[in-house]
Amino acid sequence: MKCLGIDFGTTSVKAVLFDEKLNEIANSSEDYTVNASGNIVELPGEKYWDLLQNALKTIKEKSEVDCLAIDTQCETLILTDEDGNPVRDAIVWLDNRATEEAQIIEEHFGRKKVYEITGQPEVTATWPACKLLWVKRNEPEVWAKTKKIFLLEDYLLYKLTGKFVTEKTLQSSTIYFDIKGSSWWGEMLDFIGVGEDKLPALLDSGVLVGEYDGIKVVTSAMDQVAGAIGAGVIKKGVVSEMTGTTMAIYVPTDSVPAFDKDSFVPCHYSFDGSYALLSWSPTAGMALKWFREAFLKEVSFKDLDVMAEKIAIGSDGVTFLPYLCGSTMPKYNPDARGSFTGLTAEHTAAHFVRSIMESVTCMLKSNLDYLGVDVDEIRVMGGGAKSPLWCSMKADLTGKRLLTLKNKETACLGAAILAGVGAGVFESVEKACELIQTDKQYTPSGSDYTGVYENFKKYDNILNVRKG
């Protein structure tokens, strides 16, 4: 049987078809644009359905499809009438209009209670609870017509099967889902004025929902969870790290950590009823890309590796702080800014390149230390995984084994695995993950990065200080 995993990103949809051995058979990709104006980010809900149909058509022209599952971002909200017809444009997850509503909810419940029920350590305008309250307060005519409340995956499942269902990982950041009880949080629903009759039935990931054109349709997982499954990160001791534009670290855990007023690390419901910590930093690979485009536009990323490799560990005293967009974890400071320190007239462009790579590596180390989890293995993804030097740095500084993956579209693979579980192709997610192929392995070489990390922490303590 052939399993299709579809990954709905913010501005692109990717679909990859796999066989029972998780070999890729066919793929498709289509970019799209959301409508953004200030804090408002929207897209007609029907556009998502059109994109899904395009992806299915492209794949089916190449091969038959037996089952499918779709992973999406968590917070994109689609409101419809009783028959599933949208009553307004979808409010995309990036939409930040509900700042006042977020404040109202936080003042009523407090961060501590919200975290202990939902795993979310802060109340932000992007959460669906805040968006729903905004619609209720600002668009009463829309609210009166709203009979069904969908997140993106829910809406696509409904369009495919006619079933009004959702899966629990997707609801993690609504802040009206109780991640410990795996049920709706009635107190929050009452406060924002939403009846459970407007919400879909809660299902686990990997559950058969129905059929569409002879294809079995199965519940998936939110994008980060699907990506972790596709990377084989499904048990304690193995974490994933993605150095793309940003850095994202996914850490499986058996329990929800105690509330810490200084922590902004969210805890999400995972596919198997356990949990996952998600740590992220807004600038990672972006810093290297910025430097290249600003100063070395004709140099390839591969050549940047060659330049940096010729420089000694520690970049001969140059230290970079990678806060081009502020810092989030482990130190939350939106006012933080990037900087180079320790410069002399002898330093070259290669020193700057290496110091950028070292700083992102230090950021990985500081996040893992902050999370306080036992790590045996790190599975690395994103553009940073293509750099042998960067991977070696990470292995040496963290003291952990690093593995890259042969299949780079891990979210599509994770969704396909869940499709296969629901369709009976695989006995379990765990059994399917045994088929995932790793690529390169990096082990600590013994190179000493102690001074690099100490310098990073020293300058971070001096320069990364929140104002006020």
Side-chain angles (χ1 to χ4, degrees), residues 330-344:
K331 190 183 293 185
Y332 179 74
N333 182 8
D335 297 322
R337 293 294 177 261
S339 62
F340 288 100
T341 54
L343 308 182
T344 70

Side-chain angles (χ1 to χ4, degrees), residues 317-321 339-343 347 459 463:
V318 178
T319 298
F320 178 63
L321 295 184
S339 62
F340 288 100
T341 54
L343 308 182
H347 289 125
Y459 288 115
L463 298 173

